[in-house]
Amino acid sequence: MISFVLGVEDLADTRFAVSPLHETVLSLRVLRDPGLSALHLPWRRSVLPRLGALDTGLLMSLVGRRHTLPDFLTPRPMDFAPAFDDELAAARRASPGLVRRDLLAAHAPDPLPEALQDAIDPDDEPVVRLRDTVCELLRRYWELAIEPAWPQMRLVLEADMTYRARQLAVGGARLLFADMHPNLRWHDGVLHIDKMIGRHRVAAAGRGLLLVPSVFAHKPAPPVSPDEPPMLAYPSRAVATLWAPNPAADATALASLIGAPRAGLLHLLAEPLPTVEIARRLRVTPSAVSQHLRVLYATGLVTRARDGRHVLYRRSSLGDQLTDRRRPAQITIS
């Protein structure tokens, strides 16, 4: 069990952060052990073919046999939503002594894998070289495996934080932690994290508590070292929605949303057309067309540009997205 002793000031300084580097590093567990979370199997299947050029042996060696990870690769986020490059720069600044400590701790009691043997070199230069190699490899892995899905992942994480903030406001720390994971227990100012490899107690002592929701965490994940300030990555809600296939497009949905006449106009405006030409094609009056065009323009679904005496209308990029893969509605304007 790992415990965080939190005073009143530490609770007042409890905050949340979204960390792209944490997600990148925690995803290595799923990559190495597909049985860890069936929810992520669709992601894993889609990612593996992209990693052919990477040193996956070195990547996998970062994960201990008991799924522990080196703390220096998950530095404490200083902002609510730091950029990946800023977090990686912090990891690159880890001292050789810290790199040694964290790699050995992640693999204890086992020896270090062959790919990480430079970490136990008495000279600092091989350790620094290994650190920089690992960080550069993580950057390339992020670009291939995590960054393409990061916007969707961040939406899930931010939604989780909104929910947690409400739990904290309604029921205090007890309700916040009781609802977060079965392994968490709040009692008498101490947050207990059960079923941990480590056995230590950390006094926050004014450093607060940082909570990091994670798509890839399968259980609460505090730092391995007792020397690190209190931080807890925990499993986010609604992760199952991330990799679910998009529903098939409903050809009638757009017409139901904005009406059949305007849906039909959107399909017609794949090319720039003036009002009079639209009216001619539909065999209606220009004024009838103008009424619908004004609404479509005001909602950002069409753009307009003047060409001599005529104003040309065309679907906007948003209009393109709405009409994508949907059959044109029958156009009837009155």
Side-chain angles (χ1 to χ4, degrees), residues 1-4 183 185 190-202 222:
M1 176 189 295
I2 293 175
S3 301
F4 292 150
N183 289 3
R185 180 168 49 89
V190 181
L191 177 62
H192 301 281
I193 311 164
D194 294 327
K195 300 180 181 179
M196 292 284 104
I197 296 170
R199 297 286 186 272
H200 53 258
R201 189 178 178 96
V202 178

Side-chain angles (χ1 to χ4, degrees), residues 43-190:
W43 169 82
R44 188 177 185 274
R45 283 193 296 266
S46 70
V47 162
L48 283 176
R50 308 178 209 162
L51 305 182
L54 297 188
D55 186 349
T56 52
L58 179 54
L59 275 177
M60 295 302 96
S61 72
L62 297 172
V63 185
R65 175 173 54 85
R66 297 183 289 184
H67 301 119
T68 43
L69 292 157
D71 287 339
F72 83 94
L73 293 178
T74 52
R76 186 181 178 92
M78 302 308 295
D79 304 313
F80 167 72
F84 176 83
D85 288 341
D86 292 340
E87 290 195 287
L88 193 63
R92 286 182 186 271
R93 292 193 293 270
S95 68
L98 192 64
V99 174
R100 285 192 190 94
R101 182 202 75 179
D102 290 349
L103 287 173
L104 287 168
H107 285 277
D110 301 326
L112 284 180
E114 182 63 31
L116 300 178
Q117 282 298 306
D118 281 349
I120 55 176
D121 194 293
D123 187 10
D124 285 350
E125 186 176 341
V127 184
V128 170
R129 187 167 57 246
L130 174 63
R131 177 199 66 194
D132 292 346
T133 299
V134 166
C135 287
E136 177 59 23
L137 182 59
L138 283 174
R139 183 189 63 78
R140 294 167 58 201
Y141 172 69
W142 149 262
E143 292 171 350
L144 292 170
I146 306 298
E147 189 177 24
W150 179 244
Q152 292 78 20
M153 292 169 63
R154 178 165 172 168
L155 287 175
V156 169
L157 298 174
E158 291 187 357
D160 177 271
M161 288 188 291
T162 300
Y163 171 81
R164 303 296 177 191
R166 176 172 174 76
Q167 295 295 89
L168 181 61
V170 170
R174 190 180 306 279
L175 180 59
L176 170 67
F177 297 122
D179 188 51
M180 194 172 279
H181 193 273
N183 289 3
L184 296 179
R185 180 168 49 89
W186 174 258
H187 179 69
D188 261 356
V190 181

Side-chain angles (χ1 to χ4, degrees), residues 250-305:
D250 182 348
T252 65
L254 183 59
S256 299
L257 178 66
I258 63 174
R262 289 168 189 162
L265 272 178
L266 274 183
H267 284 284
L268 185 62
L269 291 174
E271 57 177 318
L273 293 173
T275 304
V276 292
E277 175 60 18
I278 298 171
R280 186 191 67 80
R281 294 189 186 188
L282 301 180
R283 298 180 181 180
V284 297
T285 63
S287 62
V289 172
S290 295
Q291 291 175 16
H292 293 294
L293 288 175
R294 277 197 297 271
V295 174
L296 292 174
Y297 177 73
T299 53
L301 297 179
V302 301
T303 60
R304 65 188 184 190

